[in-house]
């Protein structure tokens, strides 16, 4: 999608895909399956076993129990299915805005309503705002869930053990079920430590969603895992059998190879992303010094506050009334710098005026993109207001 959605002169730094060659052990596993004609339905627990081993080695966490896992088509469909187990239509789902836009779309499409708990000015979870949102979500005595991005997309914040502990305590206090989306967990960069939510005391009735798709660039090979805490096992048993028909067998093979044999490739990737993160910091200081930028601790996503530009971010609608995905600074950078970024306004409250930049690309492309963006901003001076 990344390199197809825009014309050739656009540098695509938007959707969460990486410009990397496939990890050799994954390619070999897929080649083997194709050579064998092994292209039927998925079966077995290899994916969950590979995750369990990876979690023990990388996160020093021995908490993945195969009988408390289920393979689902992808993380977002897994989230929807878990929400169906623990909430009903009309119930509230709390999210920390700004956050990954499908958290809004998938949740509301399934007739749950969103209650926002905006992040603090440091872009970390604001526990007071979270508690207020829990109270609001539960105000009519209805069930409620907290859908958390751990690490957080789009800010790259990696929640600390203390933060997760406080979140678990609040969730217990207000009887809110936690769903921790841990798709970016293997992508924690030097300086930060990933903590699985289900390793936290008080998380026992929570769920985690995991997948190899972000860290090994496998979004086209559909598969993901739900992991239930011990007190959520009965809920998971109610997962309808047909959900297991969604994942792709080749997806399961690829994701299993990633967790089992993709460690060396991942380490090399993380070194490259760390170097790109440093380069990006330098390029922002050089070309967009006015942008407010918090160095991400994980993911390959950077969140740039460009509100100094003063570009309106009001949701623009097309002739059918459909809200445009690209507005404000992202639209300006697309039009004038030919750089495609994710537009902040679709990430919910606090997103307008910001852009999300995907730095999982070559240093050369990063340099070119930031240089073009800087030039576009300088050229704006003296030109009429884009939205005027
Ligand atoms: C936080 C988060 N959750 C879920 C997804 C999508 O995962 P999937 O394609 O497995 O639904 C993404 C993709 O970028 C993401 O950033």
């Amino acid at each position: 999608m990344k390199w197809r959605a825009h014309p050739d002169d656009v540098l695509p730094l938007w959707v969460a895909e990486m410009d990397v060659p496939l990890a050799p052990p994954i390619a070999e596993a897929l080649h083997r399956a194709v050579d064998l004609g092994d292209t039927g339905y998925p079966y077995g627990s290899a994916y969950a076993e590979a995750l369990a081993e990876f979690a023990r080695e990388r996160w020093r966490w021995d908490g993945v129990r195969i009988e408390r896992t289920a393979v689902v088509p992808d993380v977002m469909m897994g989230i929807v299915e878990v929400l169906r187990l623990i909430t009903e239509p009309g119930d509230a789902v709390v999210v920390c805005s700004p956050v990954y836009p499908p958290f809004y779309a998938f949740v509301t499409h399934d007739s749950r309503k969103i209650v926002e708990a905006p992040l603090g000015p440091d872009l970390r979870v604001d526990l007071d705002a979270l508690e207020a949102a829990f109270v609001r979500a539960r105000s009519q005595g209805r069930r409620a869930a907290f859908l958390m991005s751990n690490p957080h997309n789009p800010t790259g914040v990696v929640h600390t053990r203390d933060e997760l502990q406080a979140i678990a305590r609040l969730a217990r206090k207000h009887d809110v079920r936690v769903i921790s989306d841990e798709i970016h967990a293997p992508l924690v960069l030097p300086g930060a430590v990933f903590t699985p939510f289900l390793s936290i005391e008080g998380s026992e009735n929570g769920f985690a969603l995991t997948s190899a798709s972000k860290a090994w660039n496998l979004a086209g090979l559909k598969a993901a895992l739900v992991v239930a805490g011990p007190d959520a096992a009965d809920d998971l048993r109610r997962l309808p059998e047909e959900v297991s028909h969604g994942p792709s067998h080749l997806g399961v093979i690829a994701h299993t190879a990633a967790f089992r044999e993709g460690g060396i490739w991942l380490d090399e990737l993380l070194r490259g992303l760390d170097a790109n993160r440093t380069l990006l910091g330098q390029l922002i200081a050089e070309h967009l010094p006015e942008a407010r930028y918090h160095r991400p601790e994980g993911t390959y996503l950077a969140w740039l506050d460009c509100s100094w530009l003063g570009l309106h971010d009001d949701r623009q609608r097309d002739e059918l009334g459909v809200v445009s995905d690209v507005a404000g600074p992202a639209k300006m950078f697309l039009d004038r710098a030919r750089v495609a970024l994710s537009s902040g306004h679709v990430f919910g409250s606090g997103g307008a005026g910001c852009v999300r930049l995907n730095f999982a690309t070559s240093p050369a492309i990063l340099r070119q993109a930031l240089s073009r963006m800087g030039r576009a901003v300088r050229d704006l001076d003296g030109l009429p207001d884009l939205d005027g």
Side-chain angles (χ1 to χ4, degrees):
M1 181 186 279
K2 190 180 181 190
W3 286 93
R4 285 195 176 97
H6 294 282
D8 285 351
D9 65 328
V10 171
L11 293 175
L13 303 183
W14 60 295
V15 68
E17 294 178 14
M18 301 191 284
D19 299 335
V20 288
L22 190 57
I26 301 174
E28 283 156 24
L30 290 169
H31 282 301
R32 239 182 347 261
V34 170
D35 290 345
L36 278 170
D38 179 14
T39 52
Y41 295 113
Y43 180 79
S45 55
Y47 189 3
E49 284 158 23
L51 170 69
E53 183 60 31
F54 186 86
R56 273 193 292 272
E57 276 180 18
R58 291 260 162 174
W59 305 323
R60 304 273 161 251
W61 180 52
D62 190 19
V64 178
R65 294 285 168 276
I66 309 308
E67 63 279 13
R68 282 194 264 114
T69 64
V71 185
V72 288
D74 55 35
V75 165
M76 287 314 305
M77 291 315 297
I79 287 170
V80 168
E81 293 298 343
V82 169
L83 282 173
R84 287 179 179 166
L85 297 175
I86 58 174
T87 62
E88 282 163 21
D91 287 345
V93 177
V94 175
V95 300
C96 286
S97 60
V99 73
Y100 181 56
F103 277 19
Y104 294 84
F106 281 66
V107 166
T108 53
H109 181 64
D110 207 35
S111 307
R112 274 68 177 163
K113 60 174 202 254
I114 292 281
V115 174
E116 290 185 325
L119 298 173
D122 57 356
L123 300 183
R124 306 200 75 90
V125 172
D126 177 335
L127 292 170
D128 293 333
L130 189 64
E131 180 155 31
F134 284 177
V135 170
R136 218 154 10 112
R138 296 274 292 122
S139 60
Q140 278 144 17
R142 301 186 71 119
R143 300 201 275 181
F146 172 40
L147 178 52
M148 168 168 62
S149 182
N150 177 34
H152 193 88
N153 171 2
T155 58
V157 162
V158 177
H159 310 303
T160 63
R161 178 164 284 278
D162 285 350
E163 286 170 325
L164 293 170
Q165 187 64 69
I167 289 167
R169 252 195 311 269
L170 284 182
R172 283 288 179 170
K173 177 175 167 194
H174 294 282
D175 201 11
V176 170
R177 302 290 293 275
V178 179
I179 305 173
S180 183
D181 175 344
E182 304 190 343
I183 194 169
H184 292 279
L187 291 170
V188 167
L189 297 170
V193 175
F194 169 70
T195 307
F197 179 69
L198 294 179
S199 73
I200 296 288
E201 197 190 321
S203 71
E204 295 79 6
N205 69 352
F207 289 88
L209 269 293
T210 313
S211 167
S213 83
K214 284 303 114 180
W216 286 272
N217 211 35
L218 303 174
L221 287 154
K222 289 274 177 189
L225 281 169
V226 181
V227 183
D231 297 343
D234 287 347
D235 292 314
L236 189 63
R237 267 194 282 278
R238 290 186 287 107
L239 191 72
E241 199 268 340
E242 61 267 26
V243 176
S244 69
H245 294 210
S248 141
H249 174 54
L250 290 176
V252 170
I253 286 174
H255 289 227
T256 304
F259 277 123
R260 202 173 265 163
E261 303 167 74
I264 293 172
W265 185 93
L266 177 66
D267 287 335
E268 210 176 313
L269 174 82
L270 294 175
R271 276 193 290 278
L273 292 179
D274 189 24
N276 275 8
R277 174 174 66 165
T278 301
L279 174 63
L280 180 64
Q282 291 160 356
L283 292 170
I284 290 170
E286 184 181 346
H287 298 289
L288 296 173
E290 301 91 343
R292 261 193 298 142
Y293 162 71
H294 290 253
R295 188 170 177 267
E297 300 169 307
T299 79
Y300 47 78
L301 307 167
W303 186 242
L304 274 56
D305 185 340
C306 299
S307 42
W308 98 93
L309 288 169
L311 298 172
H312 294 300
D313 240 334
D314 295 332
R315 296 198 156 198
Q316 299 167 1
R317 289 176 188 272
D318 65 14
E319 62 280 7
L320 294 175
V322 176
V323 174
S324 169
D325 278 352
V326 183
K331 177 145 179 30
M332 186 278 287
F333 286 126
L334 180 61
D335 291 344
R336 299 189 181 223
R338 307 305 280 155
V339 175
L341 305 160
S342 301
S343 189
H345 73 289
V346 297
F347 290 76
S349 297
C354 301
V355 294
R356 191 191 73 176
L357 182 149
N358 172 346
F359 60 86
T361 188
S362 69
I365 288 178
L366 267 189
R367 280 197 193 91
Q368 206 184 346
L370 269 292
S371 153
R372 284 198 210 173
M373 288 163 69
R375 205 172 322 126
V377 168
R378 288 194 302 280
D379 287 351
L380 271 182
D381 292 335
L383 292 176
D385 184 344
L386 282 180
D387 296 292

